[in-house]
Amino acid sequence: MTGDGTAFDFDALIHEDKVHRSLYTNPAIFDRELTRIFGGTWVYLAHESQIPEPDSFFRTRLGLRPIIMVRDGDGVIRALYNRCTHRGATVCRAAQGTAKSFACPYHGWTFATSGKLLGVPWREGYAHDHRQEDQFNLAQVPRVESYRGFIFGTLNMDAPALADHLGPVRGPIDDWLDRNPGGKLVLSEANRMRFKGNWKLAYDNSADGYHVIFSHRSLLMMENRFAGDDPKGMSFYRQRPDSGRVRVYYFGNGHHFKDKRPTLADGPGAIWRIEGLHPGMEGYESEIRERYGARADAMLDLAGSIPMNINIFPNLLILGNHIQVLEPLSYNETATTWYGTAIVDDEDELDGAADLINALRMRTQEQFPIFGEVDDLTNFEEIQAGLGAEEDPWVYMDRGLGLPDRFTEKDGVVSGPATDEVFMREYMKHYKTLMAADPELSISRGGHD
Amino acid sequence: MGATDRNPSNSSYYVTNDFYAKLVADFEGWDLESRRIDEGPSLVRARSILFREARYLDQDRLRDWLTLFSPECAYWIPGTRNRGDPRREIAFAFHDRRQLEDRVYRLETGFAWSQTPVSRTSRMITNIEVFDTDEPGVTMVRSNFQVTEYWNGQIRFWTGYAVHRLAPESGDDLGVGAILAKQVNLIDCDENHRNPSITL
Ligand code: FES
Ligand SMILES: [Fe+2]
């Protein structure tokens, strides 16, 4: 499954301060990413709340491979190839739901949610019994592991365990989850977008503190039109962001984290205070204050967007309360889905406030995709257009590079000021390692009895 | 803006749990044959308001468009085919009065890159049907739409049906404040969209 016969000199394409346009424009490099990255390393596939019970499924992709995420009848989470073992048709055509089995619409072969082949119509027309032969079970991603609800998969048996691969980025993920009741969240539908551009344009942007006041200028003006001396949202970037306390951290394996929490005031209510204006804010806030008194500030913080930005290479971007998922569609087309998250209060820690908080929380999550992300996506498309210029091939990511005392490095974690492109330089080094390697990729046929 | 400013252009006290509950109920089961109004002034008025709305949007007269909405309005583009409950799921868009004004404000800044250049649109509004409700004079209006958008050298389409909840006629209002709530149902609401930045 590896070895596409194309030789690339990644040392010539990826430098400390710049990368070559072909990383974004060359279809052959994209094809190589589909094995070396989307397959060769851990890739986010789905959230456990999307397949909440046995026999639930959710259709997705690993790179371009059509995948059905299932929780099989025994509750085991699997990533099945949505590819009939007869002649290749997809066996699942619904986006999500529950199913006891998948019947291929073409000739009726039937598979259990575990991937096991159950039936072949008119079997007497075959000289052998497919059900006795493993290769006729649906292929599966051989390694599927979760970290606190996030499901990842890889085709690389030599990859480290997921927890080790994530390494120190687990710290911010834990913080992000632990502020919620029960330390968990569920997905609650999404703002769904796509752009005509390479997927890495979105990953390059994911912790970019440099673009905010320019690319999102209209949103910043909008969300502060009533704010007076009490700036909202991303206003932090309007000051001198590099001398502030917001830092970007590179954790290795392509993962990074921009921590904006140091800009928060102390105590409960600080997150809510910087939240922009949204439908229902004043009405719900007064109701929550009336009903819950001194506890209201902490509750309102749960409706507010936590100023954290955790980016898990290559395709999972946790931003505020969102889980943004990147799906590469071609070298110049990418889907970006901004899943909203809701709190679940199984133990009723919040005395019935969860529904009120979630109603507010849906609105606080819609604003950025609708009024902010659209402008970034336009800029990504315009980069893709600009990179059509062959004779001017370099994309620079050298902000901060070479400045004395700009970065700190501790236990392998590199950190720099909010607007530095250090995370891009570092993830590109990791990207180069992955693209130059030639891992053996494999599938499994399920481990059925 | 003070804490007691209840002008819905400045604050959002009216969007409460009860408001959402009523909205969801109002947009459920309204299209009964027995409630259909096939002719007469309701139909003429509905058509006039919908056509005017389309024209204002096509002409980039967003401030005029805003005048058609009531002070305590809702503007709702569900993100799922069964529409869901906006309290529990992310919508393609859900705006109150203030956020509708936010939307217009942002587009007017000149820095909304997704609308630079500004999209040119042409809207066709057809299949208009008016339904009576339990509230005196309040009607639900269903219409099909197809918006052709020309943006950055390309043509594309936004297609679906809209449901307008219209306030009772108040005489000489020319439709001002008539739209109590507008629900836009895109046939591909659950698909990933490129540059969803025009106003539907
Ligand atoms: S392709 Fe699936 S049964 Fe033939
Ligand atoms: Fe951005």
Side-chain angles (χ1 to χ4, degrees):
Chain A
M1 296 181 78
T2 59
D4 49 29
T6 317
F8 294 103
D9 180 359
F10 285 100
D11 284 332
L13 299 178
I14 300 172
H15 297 258
E16 175 77 22
D17 60 333
K18 64 188 180 197
V19 300
H20 194 268
R21 64 183 279 279
S22 57
L23 262 52
Y24 305 89
T25 58
N26 185 340
I29 289 186
F30 178 78
D31 285 347
R32 194 177 173 103
E33 291 172 347
L34 293 175
T35 51
R36 302 322 197 266
I37 294 170
F38 294 90
T41 189
W42 288 101
V43 173
Y44 172 77
L45 292 171
H47 190 263
E48 286 182 8
S49 65
Q50 291 173 296
I51 42 173
E53 56 204 29
D55 295 327
S56 45
F57 69 86
F58 169 74
R59 215 180 56 195
T60 184
R61 276 179 288 250
L62 169 56
L64 296 184
R65 301 167 193 85
I67 297 288
I68 322 166
M69 298 303 300
V70 295
R71 212 181 271 261
D72 72 15
D74 296 327
V76 178
I77 293 175
R78 299 175 186 268
L80 306 176
Y81 278 50
N82 191 7
R83 189 256 185 235
C84 184
T85 50
H86 177 219
R87 293 215 321 250
T90 58
V91 299
C92 173
R93 301 182 186 178
Q96 57 193 311
T98 57
K100 289 274 179 218
S101 61
F102 299 106
C104 180
Y106 198 15
H107 312 93
W109 287 24
T110 305
F111 302 88
T113 52
S114 65
K116 172 112 187 84
L117 176 65
L118 295 177
V120 171
W122 300 320
R123 197 156 58 77
E124 60 279 12
Y126 281 105
H128 62 123
D129 184 354
H130 300 74
R131 294 172 306 175
Q132 306 304 321
E133 298 168 57
D134 272 356
Q135 74 262 31
F136 297 108
N137 298 329
L138 291 178
Q140 330 198 352
V141 177
R143 296 184 65 194
V144 176
E145 293 178 21
S146 292
Y147 184 73
R148 298 200 62 177
F150 297 101
I151 310 169
F152 294 78
T154 181
L155 307 179
N156 182 354
M157 298 308 285
D158 297 325
L162 176 66
D164 296 332
H165 167 78
L166 294 173
V169 80
R170 286 175 296 167
I173 296 174
D174 291 344
D175 286 358
W176 187 77
L177 285 166
D178 288 340
R179 83 182 190 105
N180 307 294
K184 69 175 186 178
L185 292 170
V186 295
L187 302 197
S188 52
E189 297 300 336
N191 292 109
R192 300 167 198 275
M193 304 188 200
R194 68 168 77 212
F195 64 96
K196 293 286 285 177
N198 188 272
W199 65 275
K200 294 188 293 304
L201 295 171
Y203 202 75
D204 293 348
N205 178 77
S206 60
D208 179 359
Y210 197 16
H211 80 292
V212 176
I213 73 160
F214 307 101
S215 194
H216 300 303
R217 185 165 173 180
S218 66
L219 172 57
L220 278 161
M221 289 169 75
M222 185 198 96
E223 71 181 359
N224 285 287
R225 71 188 177 101
F226 294 115
D229 296 333
D230 198 10
K232 300 292 185 188
M234 301 177 294
S235 294
F236 151 78
Y237 290 105
R238 287 174 153 178
Q239 298 132 33
R240 297 173 57 83
D242 286 352
S243 48
R245 283 172 293 173
V246 174
R247 310 264 306 168
V248 59
Y249 299 85
Y250 180 75
F251 288 127
N253 290 338
H255 315 315
H256 46 82
F257 170 42
K258 195 166 55 181
D259 191 2
K260 295 175 274 188
R261 289 173 300 176
T263 60
L264 291 173
D266 290 332
I271 296 171
W272 185 245
R273 211 165 300 137
I274 60 162
E275 193 55 69
L277 300 173
H278 305 289
M281 262 186 127
E282 290 84 352
Y284 273 86
E285 176 172 345
S286 35
E287 184 173 353
I288 290 172
R289 290 201 184 284
E290 208 165 286
R291 277 164 64 168
Y292 297 100
R295 300 173 64 194
D297 277 314
M299 290 176 172
L300 289 164
D301 280 347
L302 290 174
S305 175
I306 177 84
M308 298 175 77
N309 181 190
I310 310 163
N311 302 300
I312 316 293
F313 185 83
N315 65 335
L316 172 63
L317 316 177
I318 297 170
L319 178 61
N321 294 334
H322 282 105
I323 294 173
Q324 184 196 354
V325 181
L326 303 179
E327 288 179 89
L329 302 174
S330 82
Y331 78 95
N332 72 349
E333 186 157 27
T334 306
T336 162
T337 304
W338 292 66
Y339 288 100
T341 58
I343 58 168
V344 273
D345 189 12
D346 297 333
E347 307 291 324
D348 203 19
E349 294 169 41
L350 299 171
D351 288 329
D355 287 349
L356 297 172
I357 291 166
N358 280 332
L360 269 176
R361 189 175 164 115
M362 293 306 113
R363 300 293 87 77
T364 59
Q365 294 178 95
E366 282 157 7
Q367 189 194 57
F368 184 78
I370 295 174
F371 297 136
E373 182 65 4
V374 286
D375 290 338
D376 275 349
L377 296 181
T378 299
N379 282 323
F380 302 166
E381 293 200 354
E382 294 298 319
I383 293 175
Q384 194 76 28
L387 294 182
E390 279 195 54
E391 297 73 24
D392 193 6
W394 297 110
V395 175
Y396 286 93
M397 33 189 74
D398 62 331
R399 187 170 174 76
L401 181 66
L403 289 178
D405 306 323
R406 187 84 171 176
F407 307 105
T408 60
E409 186 165 357
K410 198 168 151 243
D411 304 327
V413 177
V414 184
S415 85
T419 69
D420 269 6
E421 291 164 338
V422 59
F423 74 91
M424 289 183 221
R425 296 193 289 276
E426 294 295 330
Y427 106 72
M428 277 296 177
K429 287 179 199 162
H430 179 64
Y431 171 89
K432 183 155 97 173
T433 311
L434 292 174
M435 290 296 277
D438 198 7
E440 188 167 338
L441 304 187
S442 52
I443 53 169
S444 97
R445 293 290 175 180
H448 309 284
D449 311 326
Chain B
M1 185 181 80
T4 51
D5 182 348
R6 296 207 170 231
N7 177 347
S9 291
N10 300 332
S11 65
S12 186
Y13 284 98
Y14 74 93
V15 180
T16 59
N17 191 53
D18 290 347
F19 178 87
Y20 279 119
K22 179 175 185 307
L23 181 76
V24 170
D26 286 344
F27 280 81
E28 213 42 75
W30 47 269
D31 53 347
L32 300 173
E33 293 307 329
S34 58
R35 290 184 173 275
R36 216 162 72 102
I37 304 173
D38 266 339
E39 54 184 15
S42 306
L43 189 60
V44 172
R45 172 172 175 259
R47 205 174 58 184
S48 155
I49 292 169
L50 265 57
F51 286 178
R52 194 171 337 150
E53 185 194 18
R55 177 161 48 85
Y56 288 162
L57 289 170
D58 282 347
Q59 294 175 335
D60 284 322
R61 291 167 62 184
L62 293 173
R63 293 282 162 189
D64 290 331
W65 175 68
L66 282 174
T67 66
L68 299 176
F69 285 83
S70 69
E72 301 196 342
C73 62
Y75 174 89
W76 178 18
I77 310 180
T80 53
R81 288 284 287 149
N82 66 6
R83 300 179 298 279
D85 185 325
R87 288 169 291 187
R88 286 191 280 277
E89 70 177 50
I90 297 288
F92 188 104
F94 189 99
H95 302 331
D96 60 355
R97 177 80 206 184
R98 180 175 59 191
Q99 205 166 47
L100 273 183
E101 295 181 15
D102 276 345
R103 170 178 280 273
V104 173
Y105 179 95
R106 190 183 86 87
L107 294 171
E108 289 174 347
T109 62
F111 301 108
W113 312 119
S114 52
Q115 278 297 300
T116 311
V118 175
S119 294
R120 303 173 204 167
T121 61
S122 169
R123 287 155 216 257
M124 287 193 275
I125 313 292
T126 70
N127 303 43
I128 298 172
E129 294 181 291
V130 180
F131 296 83
D132 201 5
T133 71
D134 289 338
E135 288 176 54
V138 173
T139 52
M140 302 294 279
V141 182
R142 189 192 201 279
S143 62
N144 284 2
F145 65 84
Q146 184 172 56
V147 184
T148 307
E149 178 185 8
Y150 170 73
W151 177 74
N152 214 6
Q154 290 167 70
I155 292 269
R156 59 191 182 138
F157 305 100
W158 300 85
T159 303
Y161 72 94
V163 185
H164 289 73
R165 187 173 176 86
L166 296 185
E169 184 159 20
S170 60
D172 57 348
D173 64 0
L174 294 171
V176 169
I179 304 173
L180 299 170
K182 178 181 184 184
Q183 184 189 60
V184 180
N185 298 283
L186 291 164
I187 57 172
D188 52 356
C189 63
D190 48 359
E191 180 57 81
N192 289 68
H193 288 278
R194 187 176 175 216
N195 192 8
S197 60
I198 62 164
T199 302
L200 291 170

